[in-house]
Amino acid sequence: DQQVKQNSPSLSVQEGRISILNCDYTNSMFDYFLWYKKYPAEGPTFLISISSIKDKNEDGRFTVFLNKSAKHLSLHIVPSQPGDSAVYFCAASRSPSGTYKYIFGTGTRLKVLA
Amino acid sequence: NAGVTQTPKFQVLKTGQSMTLQCAQDMNHEYMSWYRQDPGMGLRLIHYSVGAGITDQGEVPNGYNVSRSTTEDFPLRLLSAAPSQTSVYFCASREPYGGPDTQYFGPGTRLTVL
C-alpha cells in the first residue's frame, strides 16, 4: 500500500510558466516532507523540505506547500526552466531522529519545453 | 571529495547467480542505506546502517544481505539473484542527526537478472 502517492507520472510545462507537482500521503504520523530531483543516470539530489509545523517553505524558485488536513503537499517551480526537466520524488518521514526513514512517492517526470 | 560512489554501473546476472554491489563514501557519514527503484514503485529502502557493525532491515530486505565493517563501505549482497531483483539500486549516506540536505545518493547500479 503506497503511503506516499504522486498521481501524475508526467507533466509538461512551457519555459517561464509555473510547474506544480503534487503529492498525497495517507499516514498521519508523517510530519516531515521533502522533495528530491533526479536526472537520468544520476542519483536523487535533495531539493527542498518542510516540517508539519509550517504550511509553506520557499527557496528561490522553489516553494513547497503543505496542507495537513488534506494530507497533500505540492511543489511549485516559478519560473520553470529547461534545466528543471527531471524526475521529482516527494518523500515523507516521522519526526527526524538518528534513524529516520523516508517513504518515497513514485515520482513525476517534469519536462520544461523551451 | 568523491561523495558516494557505486560499482558497477551496470550488471547482468543469470537467475541463481550471486554478486555484490559496492558502495563507498568519503564524507565520514555514519548513516548509509540502500534503496531500489522500480517503475511505478518509487524508491524503497532495502537495508540501512547507523555505523560500523550495525545494520538493520528496511521495507524490502528479502533476498539481500549487508554488512558494515568500516565507516566508508556498505556493500549489498545478492546471494541468489531472481528476476524480481531487476532494478536500479541506489546507495545513500548522511550524517546521523543531519537534515535531509545532508543525504547524498550515489549514481546507481542498474541490475538485470535474466
Side-chain angles (χ1 to χ4, degrees), chain A residues 62-113:
Chain A
F62 302 91
T63 303
V64 56
F65 295 91
L66 176 63
N67 182 333
K68 290 185 288 294
S69 61
K71 295 192 180 67
H72 177 83
L73 63 155
S74 60
L75 174 68
H76 293 210
I77 305 174
V78 183
S80 301
Q81 299 174 353
D84 297 329
S85 297
V87 177
Y88 291 79
F89 292 98
C90 68
S93 74
R94 300 185 182 187
S95 294
S97 64
T99 61
Y100 60 90
K101 306 171 196 175
Y102 300 121
I103 304 297
F104 282 81
T106 52
T108 296
R109 182 178 302 277
L110 173 66
K111 187 171 184 179
V112 180
L113 307 170

Side-chain angles (χ1 to χ4, degrees), chain A:
Chain A
D1 182 32
Q2 279 288 119
Q3 296 186 67
V4 178
K5 300 177 185 178
Q6 294 176 256
N7 292 319
S8 297
S10 63
L11 175 69
S12 291
V13 171
Q14 285 294 131
E15 181 179 7
R17 304 295 291 269
I18 183 171
S19 295
I20 301 176
L21 292 84
N22 295 304
C23 180
D24 297 294
Y25 62 96
T26 58
N27 190 336
S28 57
M29 297 294 290
F30 290 144
D31 58 9
Y32 197 78
F33 306 89
L34 52 158
W35 288 90
Y36 278 88
K37 178 178 180 179
K38 183 185 176 306
Y39 291 117
E42 294 183 11
T45 55
F46 170 76
L47 187 59
I48 192 169
S49 65
I50 188 167
S51 163
S52 62
I53 62 172
K54 294 185 175 182
D55 54 19
K56 176 183 173 181
N57 188 27
E58 196 170 348
D59 184 1
R61 297 185 297 113
F62 302 91
T63 303
V64 56
F65 295 91
L66 176 63
N67 182 333
K68 290 185 288 294
S69 61
K71 295 192 180 67
H72 177 83
L73 63 155
S74 60
L75 174 68
H76 293 210
I77 305 174
V78 183
S80 301
Q81 299 174 353
D84 297 329
S85 297
V87 177
Y88 291 79
F89 292 98
C90 68
S93 74
R94 300 185 182 187
S95 294
S97 64
T99 61
Y100 60 90
K101 306 171 196 175
Y102 300 121
I103 304 297
F104 282 81
T106 52
T108 296
R109 182 178 302 277
L110 173 66
K111 187 171 184 179
V112 180
L113 307 170

Side-chain angles (χ1 to χ4, degrees), chain B residues 16-33:
Chain B
Q17 286 185 315
S18 62
M19 80 159 294
T20 300
L21 280 63
Q22 301 291 345
C23 174
Q25 52 90 13
D26 60 0
M27 297 171 283
N28 203 32
H29 285 168
E30 292 292 330
Y31 189 98
M32 296 184 74
S33 52

